[in-house]
Amino acid sequence: MSEKDIKKEQENTELEDNTANTEENNGQEQAEETVEETGSETKAEAELAEMKDKYIRLMAEFENFRRRTAKERMDLLKTANEDLMSELLPVLDDMERARQSMEATKDVDAMLQGLELVFHKLKHVTQLKGLKPIVINAGDDFDSDLHEAVTQIPAPSEELKGKIVDVIEKGYTLNEKVIRFAKVIIGA
């Protein structure tokens, strides 16, 4: 073999060694990347499991809140009028006593005074709870937000055309909300 051939062979051997080293290094890097990927995948899976657990707990907590709120609302609806009824019980007792005294006495003036007292007591209790009558006079303008036109009659005078002529039934508001519209007759 000539010196050239020996040099070429040495170069080839060095090249093969370098290639082998490079492949070995690449294999190690790939193995490290696989280990890193596996580590990051398990970390991601752990985070995902943790998030799922939090989600499930949050949904359960919300469902419990919804049920509790619905139950509280039903309890409130059942006892909403308790305060009003407690306030009306003395009026009911007074009405019972008035009825008993009407059977026993023939004095009309005394019965009227007793009924008047009971009526004022009832009116006072309802006003305390926010019930107010809608004040309407003949000749007032018709307002569809407060009044319900039952019928129209020929206006007694030219001034009452399109205006309220008579009130059939009082209207009421409860804390500024109309709970019964006033039934009125309008002049045509």
Side-chain angles (χ1 to χ4, degrees):
M1 279 190 153
S2 70
E3 281 186 29
K4 272 187 177 181
D5 289 337
I6 293 175
K7 280 188 181 183
K8 277 187 184 180
E9 202 170 299
Q10 283 178 348
E11 286 177 8
N12 285 340
T13 307
E14 286 178 11
L15 262 169
E16 286 175 5
D17 286 345
N18 286 340
T19 306
N21 285 340
T22 305
E23 287 177 3
E24 196 176 295
N25 287 340
N26 286 343
Q28 285 177 352
E29 288 175 8
Q30 287 177 351
E32 287 175 5
E33 286 177 11
T34 306
V35 169
E36 286 177 13
E37 286 177 8
T38 306
S40 65
E41 284 178 12
T42 56
K43 186 177 179 182
E45 287 174 2
E47 285 180 19
L48 179 62
E50 183 182 334
M51 292 299 217
K52 282 183 181 179
D53 184 52
K54 283 183 181 178
Y55 173 74
I56 289 169
R57 289 179 189 275
L58 184 63
M59 287 303 294
E61 199 173 307
F62 176 73
E63 188 63 26
N64 290 339
F65 170 75
R66 192 179 61 74
R67 283 189 196 133
R68 186 174 53 249
T69 305
K71 184 180 182 288
E72 287 172 358
R73 185 178 300 140
M74 290 302 294
D75 290 344
L76 180 65
L77 288 174
K78 286 179 183 176
T79 61
N81 291 327
E82 182 179 352
D83 187 40
L84 176 63
M85 291 301 139
S86 297
E87 295 286 332
L88 287 176
L89 285 176
V91 177
L92 185 63
D93 292 340
D94 289 347
M95 288 296 292
E96 186 68 31
R97 283 191 285 274
R99 189 177 61 125
Q100 288 172 357
S101 70
M102 284 173 35
E103 293 171 0
T105 186
K106 300 296 180 201
D107 187 9
V108 177
D109 289 336
M111 283 190 291
L112 286 175
Q113 285 178 345
L115 284 175
E116 194 66 29
L117 289 172
V118 173
F119 176 71
H120 284 297
K121 196 173 196 177
L122 176 64
K123 197 172 180 182
H124 178 70
V125 168
T126 57
Q127 284 177 347
L128 283 177
K129 296 300 175 184
L131 185 71
K132 294 179 184 169
I134 298 173
V135 179
I136 305 167
N137 297 315
D140 288 349
D141 290 328
F142 177 77
D143 182 359
S144 61
D145 291 335
L146 302 173
H147 310 127
E148 178 183 341
V150 176
T151 187
Q152 288 185 343
I153 61 169
S157 67
E158 195 65 33
E159 299 167 352
L160 292 177
K161 281 192 175 182
K163 300 203 182 236
I164 297 172
V165 175
D166 193 15
V167 178
I168 296 173
E169 191 175 73
K170 277 185 177 181
Y172 289 93
T173 60
L174 181 63
N175 299 321
E176 306 303 320
K177 180 185 177 214
V178 177
I179 60 170
R180 184 170 86 182
F181 293 95
K183 293 182 180 174
V184 297
I185 298 174
I186 299 175

